[in-house]
Amino acid sequence: MKRRVFLSLATAISALGLAPARAQGPAPSFTFPSIDGGEYDTADWRGRPVLVVNTASLCGFSGQLRDMQALHETHEGRGLVVLAVPSNDFRQELATGKEVSEYCQLEYGITLPMTDILPVARGEVHPFYAWVRQQTGFVPQWNFNKVLLGPDGQLLGTWGSFIKPGGRQIMGTVAPYLSA
């Protein structure tokens, strides 16, 4: 009984975005297929903080794409990388990467790096999300969950859907790693 209550409480805390990252070694390099072809390699971003967000075009939280783009525009010059990872794990994504790319560009003016549609919480999840799960126990419970890596690849934090990408929790964590 106590274990079930603890697990329910842990799930609720994670959904609210209150789950701290546990200390561990730096992330290995991961590659992500780009939504427009090619790929992104996290090794190319070493020395920069990276905010990874699982997204879905048809989700009620999709307005956060606008926030993500604003972060990208405001802080890219200070080193921040904002990576959108579209996923249909919660059945709220368009059918193809091309549709997602066109929709996000038209509706939100997205120019930030965006991957192809990937599983993040269910089934054969992308290796990055498998690593995050293994390191911290964090699994996206819905769309627009956030994972922040420090410049050295350390996992700095995880947040749920209700925490906005430019919110004080994330910005307070990432601020020390942004260049002047």
Side-chain angles (χ1 to χ4, degrees):
M1 177 70 172
K2 287 182 183 179
R3 179 179 163 89
R4 188 172 34 214
V5 170
F6 175 77
L7 291 174
S8 296
L9 181 59
T11 300
I13 288 171
S14 177
L16 290 172
L18 304 175
R22 291 188 205 137
Q24 74 289 318
S29 295
F30 295 101
T31 58
F32 292 87
S34 170
I35 202 160
D36 298 320
E39 67 180 22
Y40 300 110
D41 187 336
T42 59
D44 295 337
W45 296 327
R46 284 286 194 232
R48 302 171 68 183
V50 180
L51 180 64
V52 182
V53 183
N54 67 298
T55 65
S57 302
L58 306 177
C59 179
F61 290 102
S62 64
Q64 288 187 23
L65 284 162
R66 193 171 288 111
D67 300 334
M68 291 166 61
Q69 180 63 31
L71 270 180
H72 170 71
E73 291 172 6
T74 304
H75 297 293
E76 180 185 31
R78 298 184 64 202
L80 181 63
V81 175
V82 180
L83 178 65
V85 182
S87 178
N88 196 33
D89 282 0
F90 306 105
R91 308 289 184 245
Q92 294 187 317
E93 190 51 273
L94 299 169
T96 68
K98 182 178 182 194
E99 290 175 313
V100 172
S101 179
E102 290 172 357
Y103 176 79
C104 288
Q105 288 173 17
L106 180 66
E107 288 295 314
Y108 301 104
I110 295 296
T111 62
L112 57 86
M114 182 176 276
T115 73
D116 205 355
I117 300 169
L118 298 171
V120 300
R122 299 178 178 164
E124 292 289 322
V125 301
H126 184 274
F128 172 79
Y129 284 93
W131 175 80
V132 170
R133 177 185 299 176
Q134 188 249 345
Q135 294 295 308
T136 67
F138 181 82
V139 176
Q141 299 298 310
W142 195 245
N143 304 307
F144 292 89
N145 281 221
K146 292 92 181 159
V147 177
L148 180 63
L149 297 177
D152 60 355
Q154 284 289 107
L155 198 118
L156 299 177
T158 59
W159 295 271
S161 305
F162 288 100
I163 303 302
K164 292 186 177 183
R168 65 179 172 77
Q169 297 93 329
I170 294 173
M171 291 311 297
T173 303
V174 77
Y177 303 100
L178 297 175
S179 61

